[in-house]
């Protein structure tokens, strides 16, 4: 194999493979990136694989001699990151991959490419969605997923629903984040939804580019393709075959049976961040805030046995209640829910101090849920 390509391009390709490179691989070869040259004119293909995820990406290059090389992903990425030359040449020979950049030379041992697992192949397409909207939605929704892996109901997973909208949903039973995206559905065949680990989905989506993402799905895998890179990740399975019935959870959050209050999103975020500075950290890592809602303001407070207390007002633009409303919440959960709503101004809807809080756009159905803490600060 002999290829020459822009250093920035192949470095980006190697980085894109990172989500499929295991830190503790079951086999040493799974710590490698597979480079294939010659299957396509003026293109090399990079591939990472670890059974939980697979990444395949294409990089423009001048291919002078076709071939295949499997080398350490860690070493190759470290070398390419410090290369000073605009282009880099990669050549195989004598069991080594030689990397030439200007006068600098590195020689890396090759691993056995023939033993590298074959690709499972493409998945049936379920639809296409705007790439940036999809990546933003995953970033906003993912914080609501549990950090504890469960088998019965995998709350560590993100639910992707394939309906009239692409539903991106996560919950850990203490909050619920949703993003319902417009998309082009390819058909009704295949699964109606998939569950994929939130941490893995976050990692693989950050490497996507292009204008649109094509989603493919089977009973065990999800694939994301942006035209240059294809990422495939394993799915989570729930023991009962289902997941949380999340839509009915919004039925009890109705402005007609509760109160609503509206404020500027930045004002609320600032008040939370200012007040929480003195909050004690619980054994679970939570920081609690006491929120008091009156006619014209939301007072955000924190009380600590060691650090004093705080009280930061946030002005309201509308309040439909007649009596003050006081409730306790995790500061980090509330900040994440406000960010996930992605609207300004923002409206809270609530029946009582212990009832779930709906968060969303004014005079619109709530899109996020935050659960109050049923104890005093």
């Amino acid at each position: 194999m002999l290829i020459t390509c822009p250093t920035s391009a192949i470095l980006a390709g190697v980085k894109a493979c990172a989500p499929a490179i295991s830190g503790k691989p079951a086999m040493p070869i799974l710590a490698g990136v597979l480079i294939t040259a010659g299957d396509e004119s003026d293109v090399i293909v990079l591939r990472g694989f670890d059974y939980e995820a697979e990444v395949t990406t294409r990089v423009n290059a001048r291919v002078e001699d076709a071939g295949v090389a499997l080398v350490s992903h860690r070493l190759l990425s470290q070398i390419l990151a410090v290369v000073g030359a605009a282009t880099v040449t990669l050549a195989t020979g004598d069991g080594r991959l030689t990397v030439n950049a200007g006068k600098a030379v590195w020689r890396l041992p090759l691993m056995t490419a023939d033993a590298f697992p074959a690709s499972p192949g493409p998945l049936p397409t379920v639809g296409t969605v705007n790439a940036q909207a999809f990546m933003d939605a995953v970033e906003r929704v993912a914080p609501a997923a549990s950090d504890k892996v469960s088998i019965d109901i995998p709350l560590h997973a993100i639910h992707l629903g394939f309906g009239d909208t692409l539903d991106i949903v996560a919950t850990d039973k203490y909050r619920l984040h949703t993003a319902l995206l417009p998309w082009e559905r390819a058909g009704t065949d295949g699964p109606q939804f998939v569950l994929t680990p939130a941490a893995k989905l976050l990692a693989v989506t950050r490497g996507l580019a292009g204008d649109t993402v094509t989603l493919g799905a089977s009973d065990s895998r999800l694939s994301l393709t942006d035209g240059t890179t294809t990422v495939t990740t394993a799915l989570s399975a729930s023991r009962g075959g289902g997941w949380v019935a999340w839509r009915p959870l919004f039925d009890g959050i109705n402005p007609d049976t509760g109160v609503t209050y509206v404020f500027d999103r930045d004002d609320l975020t600032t008040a939370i961040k200012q007040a929480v500075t003195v909050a004690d950290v619980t054994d679970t890592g939570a920081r609690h805030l006491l929120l008091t809602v009156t006619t014209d303001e939301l007072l955000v407070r924190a009380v600590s046995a060691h650090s004093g207390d705080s009280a930061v007002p946030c002005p309201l633009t509308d309040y439909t209640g007649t009596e003050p409303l006081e409730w306790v919440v995790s500061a980090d959960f509330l900040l994440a829910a406000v960010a996930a709503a992605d609207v300004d101004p923002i409206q809270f809807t609530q029946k009582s101090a212990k009832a779930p809080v709906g968060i969303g756009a004014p005079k619109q159905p709530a899109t996020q849920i935050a659960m109050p803490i049923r104890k005093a600060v």
Side-chain angles (χ1 to χ4, degrees):
M1 182 181 77
L2 177 61
I3 60 174
T4 301
C5 57
T7 302
S8 59
I10 190 170
L11 176 59
V14 171
K15 286 183 175 180
C17 292
I21 307 298
S22 174
K24 297 180 179 179
M27 299 181 291
I29 58 173
L30 297 183
V33 57
L34 185 71
I35 307 171
T36 303
D39 288 349
E40 300 179 45
S41 178
D42 298 325
V43 170
I44 61 172
V45 178
L46 308 180
R47 181 167 169 256
F49 184 89
D50 74 348
Y51 292 107
E52 292 297 322
E54 177 187 19
V55 177
T56 301
T57 188
R58 291 165 175 78
V59 176
N60 293 331
R62 185 174 76 250
V63 180
E64 299 179 39
D65 190 14
V68 176
L70 178 63
V71 296
S72 165
H73 177 273
R74 178 182 61 83
L75 289 176
L76 185 58
S77 59
Q78 288 177 348
I79 289 169
L80 293 173
V82 298
V83 165
T87 61
V88 63
T89 298
L90 278 64
T92 56
D94 298 326
R96 302 273 178 172
L97 175 72
T98 301
V99 181
N100 287 277
K103 295 182 179 180
V105 179
W106 296 263
R107 298 179 71 232
L108 306 180
L110 290 173
M111 293 184 272
T112 306
D114 291 344
F116 200 72
S119 174
L123 302 180
T125 298
V126 293
T128 58
V129 65
N130 178 273
Q132 192 61 56
F134 179 72
M135 289 188 287
D136 290 346
V138 172
E139 289 278 355
R140 296 196 310 270
V141 168
S146 174
D147 57 0
K148 297 180 180 179
V149 176
S150 171
I151 297 176
D152 291 333
I153 302 177
L155 298 180
H156 66 288
I158 287 180
H159 172 285
L160 298 179
F162 307 137
D164 293 335
T165 57
L166 176 60
D167 304 338
I168 305 173
V169 187
T171 182
D172 61 359
K173 292 188 177 181
Y174 299 102
R175 64 266 184 76
L176 173 71
H177 293 179
T178 74
L180 311 184
L181 301 183
W183 76 322
E184 294 292 333
R185 191 177 182 186
T188 57
D189 294 337
Q192 296 303 302
F193 72 91
V194 297
L195 301 172
T196 184
K200 183 64 74 173
L201 186 61
L202 269 174
V204 298
T205 54
R206 286 168 180 162
L208 297 173
D211 296 329
T212 61
V213 171
T214 299
L215 283 76
S218 68
D219 292 335
S220 61
R221 294 183 297 141
L222 170 74
S223 67
L224 308 170
T225 303
D226 64 7
T228 298
T229 301
T230 298
V231 179
T232 304
T233 182
L235 301 179
S236 299
S238 57
R239 186 166 290 173
W243 197 62
V244 177
W246 60 274
R247 290 185 184 275
L249 298 177
F250 287 99
D251 294 342
I253 302 172
N254 190 332
D256 295 334
T257 59
V259 300
T260 62
Y261 38 108
V262 179
F263 26 66
D264 179 87
R265 179 183 176 184
D266 289 341
D267 288 347
L268 176 61
T269 300
T270 299
I272 295 171
K273 290 181 177 180
Q274 289 178 341
V276 78
T277 54
V278 299
D280 287 333
V281 179
T282 69
D283 293 340
T284 61
R287 300 179 296 171
H288 295 169
L289 292 175
L290 176 64
L291 307 183
T292 304
V293 190
T294 55
T295 304
D296 56 1
E297 76 174 14
L298 171 70
L299 187 63
V300 185
R301 290 183 287 167
V303 179
S304 169
H306 310 286
S307 306
D309 57 77
S310 61
V312 182
C314 174
L316 300 184
T317 58
D318 182 62
Y319 180 51
T320 61
T322 57
E323 300 291 334
L325 179 65
E326 191 170 85
W327 55 292
V328 180
V329 67
S330 162
D332 299 301
F333 284 11
L334 187 59
L335 281 171
V338 170
D342 196 31
V343 294
D344 192 21
I346 196 165
Q347 174 178 284
F348 282 18
T349 304
Q350 193 172 11
K351 282 185 179 181
S352 68
K354 295 183 179 181
V357 181
I359 301 173
K363 300 181 180 179
Q364 298 291 327
T367 58
Q368 323 298 322
I369 295 175
M371 289 297 297
I373 297 168
R374 300 188 179 186
K375 62 180 180 180
V377 174

